[in-house]
Amino acid sequence: MAKALAILANQPNASAGLVRLGDKQILFSDCEQAFVMYARHGHSLVALFDPVGPQELWPDLLEKFMATARHQGSRPVFYQVSKAFLPHAFDCGLRPYKLGEQAVVDLTRFDLKGGAWLKLRRSINRAERDGLEFSMLSPGEVPEVIDELLSVSRAWLASHNASEKGFSLGTFDLAYVKACPVAIIRLEGRIVAFANILEAGQHGDAFIDLMRHIPETHRGMMDLLFVRIMEHMKARGFRTLNLGMAPLAGLADHHYAPLWNRLGREIFEFGERFYNFRGVQAFKSKFDPVWQPRYLVVSGRGLPLTSIFDVTMLIGGGLRGILRR
């Protein structure tokens, strides 16, 4: 982990900080200047995100990961990779399938002035008039309120009948939460919402990971939390803020679209019982992000249903976690 964190400090994508969760294995390049984080489920060896480290090291690391998968009798799977990874995947005979789009806010031009932001300004102004207060805690300040954060987290999970997820999503692990800055919203002195922030400070990227709140507190609470995070990170010199994925968003829906896209569009349209696809995309769209495609990359022919099942089980923590949303 110490070796991975040293590499992490010199790479541009804050979301790679999910390696801190400790729930993934780490495969280093031969020169130990790059790594892939991965986990196994079923017959899939699943790497999360692009390789972490200089892009010129990606091809050899990709081959090393595929050899590791073969040695273990597993299929190599890459989850949530960017367009930059695809040429290397093609060279190794892997096939991409679009998963959705990642919302990234350009903080250098983020400004609430103007008519386009009127609705959002009204929402956060109302929230502050009603007593909601924002603050950003440094990692050193987080232990003082960790019990309160845990209480908020448990209330949020209970209201959603959900269990903790993992792999590509943060979990309320005490060491993990204490390692990062945490943005909080208070009402009458009590914490009612929070989000932890992963940073790639040298390159100006930040990532909002774990988001929890007391249900039914205030309609504008999460608007206030996100806007103030953006303003705070911009003031500190950060250039981009990653809001995370909108699953199945942006899939082509024309006559020549592949079967994968058509299935994804059907799930997006009619799968609200299992996941709030439209709501997630609509909320993140409020902040005028740049939408960046993300892909599943696998070996073999046919739809990658088994690979998707294995990834889902990794994120959900097994079948019981999936059934609890």
Side-chain angles (χ1 to χ4, degrees), residues 17-314:
L18 285 170
V19 71
R20 293 178 179 273
L21 282 171
D23 63 347
K24 293 170 279 290
Q25 295 178 280
I26 301 171
L27 177 70
F28 290 94
S29 61
D30 291 342
C31 65
E32 298 191 338
Q33 297 302 308
F35 68 86
V36 167
M37 51 182 146
Y38 69 95
R40 179 175 179 172
H41 189 276
H43 293 290
S44 299
L45 206 65
V46 185
L48 179 63
F49 304 148
D50 295 341
V52 181
Q55 289 196 24
E56 61 267 23
L57 299 178
W58 290 10
D60 289 342
L61 188 51
L62 170 56
E63 291 183 26
K64 187 174 183 178
F65 180 77
M66 293 184 66
T68 300
R70 286 196 298 269
H71 179 73
Q72 296 186 13
S74 302
R75 77 175 65 82
V77 179
F78 287 83
Y79 180 67
Q80 281 196 40
V81 297
S82 70
K83 275 187 174 181
F85 183 78
L86 298 189
H88 308 298
F90 291 139
D91 287 344
C92 290
L94 303 177
R95 300 184 65 183
Y97 299 85
K98 189 172 180 180
L99 287 169
E101 297 188 330
Q102 178 176 273
V104 178
V105 176
D106 181 352
L107 295 177
T108 64
R109 63 181 183 85
F110 178 75
D111 193 328
L112 281 182
K113 297 176 182 177
W117 298 97
L118 178 61
K119 188 174 181 180
L120 192 56
R121 285 201 307 273
R122 286 176 172 171
S123 176
I124 63 175
N125 288 340
R126 175 62 182 272
E128 291 183 326
R129 284 198 306 270
D130 291 343
L132 296 179
E133 299 177 331
F134 169 87
S135 59
M136 181 73 78
L137 305 179
S138 68
E141 295 172 307
V142 174
E144 300 174 10
V145 298
I146 196 69
D147 289 341
E148 215 175 338
L149 298 179
L150 179 58
S151 178
V152 172
S153 178
R154 286 173 172 169
W156 186 88
L157 290 170
S159 71
H160 289 78
N161 189 31
S163 59
E164 287 281 12
K165 302 300 187 282
F167 188 65
S168 64
L169 300 170
T171 64
F172 199 97
D173 174 81
L174 294 180
Y176 176 67
V177 175
K178 291 177 182 179
C180 307
V182 175
I184 62 173
I185 298 290
R186 283 189 170 98
L187 179 62
E188 298 178 349
R190 183 172 61 104
I191 296 176
V192 292
F194 73 88
N196 75 321
I197 314 297
L198 305 182
E199 300 179 355
Q202 184 175 339
H203 297 270
D205 182 48
F207 172 57
I208 298 179
D209 178 30
L210 195 65
M211 295 171 284
R212 303 283 162 88
H213 60 88
I214 301 293
E216 310 297 332
T217 300
H218 194 286
R219 288 183 60 187
M221 180 169 61
M222 299 309 288
D223 290 344
L224 177 64
L225 180 65
F226 272 59
V227 166
R228 295 296 182 243
I229 289 173
M230 291 172 197
E231 292 174 340
H232 179 89
M233 302 309 289
K234 179 178 181 178
R236 287 185 54 202
F238 282 79
R239 296 187 294 273
T240 53
L241 180 66
N242 182 351
L243 306 184
M245 278 271 291
L248 303 182
L251 298 185
D253 188 24
H254 52 68
H255 180 71
Y256 299 102
L259 176 59
W260 170 264
N261 284 35
R262 296 199 295 272
L263 288 175
R265 291 296 304 177
E266 289 294 316
I267 296 171
F268 185 89
E269 294 292 336
F270 303 109
E272 292 293 306
R273 174 184 173 188
F274 303 101
Y275 186 85
N276 186 17
F277 295 103
R278 289 183 177 276
V280 168
Q281 183 185 31
F283 178 75
K284 294 177 181 181
S285 293
K286 291 182 182 182
F287 308 104
D288 190 29
V290 176
W291 291 99
Q292 302 175 348
R294 287 295 180 267
Y295 300 89
L296 176 78
V297 173
V298 300
S299 61
R301 297 181 176 275
L303 293 177
L305 300 181
T306 302
S307 299
I308 280 290
F309 174 79
D310 288 336
V311 171
T312 302
M313 296 292 280
L314 282 174

